[in-house]
Amino acid sequence: MNESVLIANAERFLDGIRHNWVKAEEINDFKSFIEIYQYLKNNLEDLLELRDTMEIKGYKTPYRSLMKYGRTPKSEMKVEDIYDVNKHTQYFRMNAAAKKNILDRVKSAIASHKIAIGHLEEYANLSCNACSGKFTGHDLANFLDGNCSCGSSEIQLEINHQGVHRLEIIKYLPLSGEYMVKMSELSPMGREAFRKIVRILKHEKRGIVKTLSLVVKVFEDGRWVRKRVNIDAKDQMNYEREIRREYGSNARIEFMQFHRKKPSIINDKHVQTALSIGYVKLAEKRARDVFKLILDNNIKNKDKLQTYDEIHVNAKKMATKMVEDIGDLEHIKNELVQENLIKKGLVNKRGTYDKELEHDLKSRKNLEKNLFVEVPRVMILWDILKCYLSTSYDRRSKYSGPFPNLRPNLDSNQIRAFEDFDEDVVDILKKFMHENIEFMPNIKNLLSKKFEMENKMKGLHVKTNSNAAGAVLLNTTGKLPIEVAAHVFCVDPEVVRVERNKFETFGKPQTKKAKQFLEMIKG
């Protein structure tokens, strides 16, 4: 396919996605669910095919073809030739930029579709009335034709309350790959929240040696020769022995450089960006819905605060009419504000604010920070935390879920990204946004304990209820009552008690013979 045709087709396809709004929050039955699920799945297949075609055609490194020409010796060329060379170079650079930008958009769209599909798969539990089969997660792909594998179309949809999902987030994702446009639409506080979340998701694991670059001195043909060597790193590898085996017993290592890989918590920059945009925009919308209600509960004098705001709005209008030089606008506006605040008795002549107004301004500023900066951060961290606590290592390794490219486990450096939540923010989420969330100090301990338990159980084939196991950790490490912990993961408290007993006896001999055998070994 011609390159310009490929780019045009990709742009047309992405623009079609942009104009076709996905309203996943309106899903209420199997029909509405499968329509959106099919649409996103089909889009993803086409986007993956587009990406592969572009990468084969060199869109991943479009500027490499320009590098081979190097610097043209213009001093030896005629003026007309220099003009032609510059003109052609500019054309090829613009073409290379177009390739890079369209591939970037396609990759962003792929990341957003994976996130959306992950949330849908976590949301739905499907059951077939004919064969009584129950399906969830990646098994839902079997229903793309609208029928069960048994051929029946009598499918029932139930909400999976134990899953980690937010269908409202899907409409805020850059499904058409236009993440730059979405980012430009964020408010100043939204941009601050976006940067915070991206920094968390980019938190890197301590470096693991991936490859080594060496300079090796080798005796060949009666003289010493230096060779540059690259080798893949392996656990407990004796590099000197490996070099001598390859180049002979006289080989000597003169220089060695380690190249480390540092995988992030979510190891894909487009997924990091899409998730950050989605959570910030969702939190921003929900924050605006409850801002006035929360503010009214936290201020002392509503009238004074309203008067203060009106003075600022009127002063800006008057200053705009008065000034001729735009550079004087802010100065005149501030003078008008100060003058009117003194007239209304909200500020004295020394510039000291009224005590009630000062308290209310401070309360509003703190509330804005909590709602528009901290709420999105806490929301995504809480969801990732629940995802880790309610799934097994194998599941996180094999399936992407609502957080594609999520690391199946974290090291101590990455766990530090999970800072404790502000109690006021958790209170807002729980009381005003009706989130199923609880405040717990030292969240890092929960994750550390989870990974510790998984390491102990590795290879033992012990069957556990993942959601109940998560509730056990909230109860034992998070110090929440069993009933509260069970409610967070939507499981029966009795099931949590059974799972807790299993953990308490884990590794201990259960039978008389087992105890006798252990005593004999200790001997």
Side-chain angles (χ1 to χ4, degrees), residues 22-24 27 29-45 113-124 126 136-146 157 167 170 400:
V22 176
K23 298 178 181 178
I27 289 173
D29 57 15
F30 174 71
K31 185 181 177 183
S32 56
F33 169 82
I34 204 65
E35 281 178 2
I36 292 174
Y37 189 66
Q38 284 173 338
Y39 171 72
L40 292 172
K41 274 282 192 181
N42 292 336
N43 281 352
L44 181 59
E45 284 183 16
H113 276 74
K114 285 181 178 179
I115 294 166
I117 290 167
H119 280 268
L120 286 171
E121 289 176 344
E122 282 285 303
Y123 171 81
L126 301 183
T136 186
H138 282 66
D139 295 334
L140 303 190
N142 299 328
F143 291 86
L144 282 175
D145 60 352
L157 179 142
L167 295 193
I170 294 176
S400 58

Side-chain angles (χ1 to χ4, degrees), residues 224-473:
W224 288 96
V225 180
R226 286 184 175 84
K227 292 180 179 285
R228 292 188 176 273
V229 181
N230 292 315
I231 59 174
D232 293 330
K234 297 175 184 175
D235 292 338
Q236 298 178 344
M237 182 179 183
N238 188 319
Y239 305 112
E240 191 170 353
R241 185 186 301 161
E242 193 73 16
I243 290 297
R244 287 181 177 177
R245 186 180 63 79
E246 184 73 23
Y247 296 100
S249 59
N250 290 325
R252 298 288 183 271
I253 298 173
E254 287 195 338
F255 174 79
M256 182 187 293
Q257 184 177 12
F258 295 94
H259 302 289
R260 300 175 183 272
K261 60 177 180 179
K262 295 183 177 181
S264 306
I265 292 176
I266 289 182
N267 210 24
D268 183 294
K269 69 174 184 178
H270 291 293
V271 175
Q272 293 168 2
T273 302
L275 279 170
S276 302
I277 290 170
Y279 271 87
V280 169
K281 282 184 145 320
L282 172 62
E284 206 170 62
K285 190 265 178 190
R286 294 177 67 180
R288 288 199 186 98
D289 292 344
V290 299
F291 181 78
K292 190 175 182 302
L293 176 62
I294 302 172
L295 183 63
D296 290 346
N297 290 338
N298 286 275
I299 57 176
K300 292 183 176 180
N301 195 312
K302 185 179 177 181
D303 294 333
K304 287 180 180 179
L305 191 61
Q306 190 172 343
T307 304
Y308 175 87
D309 290 337
E310 288 172 356
I311 287 171
H312 271 77
V313 171
N314 294 334
K316 188 173 182 180
K317 287 179 182 176
M318 289 178 64
T320 305
K321 293 176 183 177
M322 292 167 60
V323 299
E324 294 180 0
D325 184 359
I326 194 70
D328 297 331
L329 179 64
E330 195 65 23
H331 176 69
I332 293 174
K333 190 197 89 168
N334 290 338
E335 284 188 347
L336 290 170
V337 167
Q338 194 70 8
E339 182 184 328
N340 286 307
L341 285 174
I342 291 171
K343 280 182 184 178
K344 293 289 184 179
L346 298 177
V347 175
N348 62 26
K349 292 183 179 180
R350 293 191 300 275
T352 306
Y353 276 71
D354 175 88
K355 293 294 182 185
E356 283 185 332
L357 177 61
E358 188 177 27
H359 170 272
D360 292 346
L361 287 172
K362 189 176 178 181
S363 296
R364 182 166 69 178
K365 187 176 180 181
N366 289 337
L367 180 60
E368 285 175 343
K369 184 176 183 297
N370 282 343
L371 279 174
F372 296 102
V373 179
E374 289 302 310
V375 161
R377 183 184 76 85
V378 171
M379 277 174 64
I380 191 168
L381 282 178
W382 177 250
D383 285 353
I384 292 174
L385 178 70
K386 282 183 68 178
C387 189
Y388 274 118
L389 297 182
S390 62
T391 55
S392 65
Y393 178 88
D394 286 343
R395 180 173 174 78
R396 296 193 300 273
S397 300
K398 294 174 184 175
Y399 305 116
S400 58
F403 301 104
N405 298 90
L406 181 70
R407 294 280 301 161
N409 64 350
L410 306 176
D411 72 349
S412 57
N413 187 47
Q414 289 174 318
I415 289 174
R416 278 204 289 269
F418 289 78
E419 295 177 5
D420 286 351
F421 304 153
D422 186 292
E423 200 164 354
D424 291 337
V425 176
V426 173
D427 200 47
I428 288 170
L429 282 163
K430 192 173 180 180
K431 290 182 180 177
F432 295 94
M433 297 186 182
H434 312 294
E435 288 284 328
N436 186 9
I437 185 172
E438 296 293 335
F439 174 76
M440 287 167 292
N442 210 340
I443 290 173
K444 302 180 189 73
N445 285 351
L446 284 171
L447 285 169
S448 298
K449 192 68 177 174
K450 168 68 175 179
F451 299 135
E452 182 188 326
M453 290 299 299
E454 285 180 342
N455 285 332
K456 285 182 179 178
M457 296 168 66
K458 199 175 288 183
L460 296 180
H461 306 291
V462 178
K463 192 173 181 180
T464 61
N465 182 322
S466 296
N467 283 283
V472 170
L473 287 170

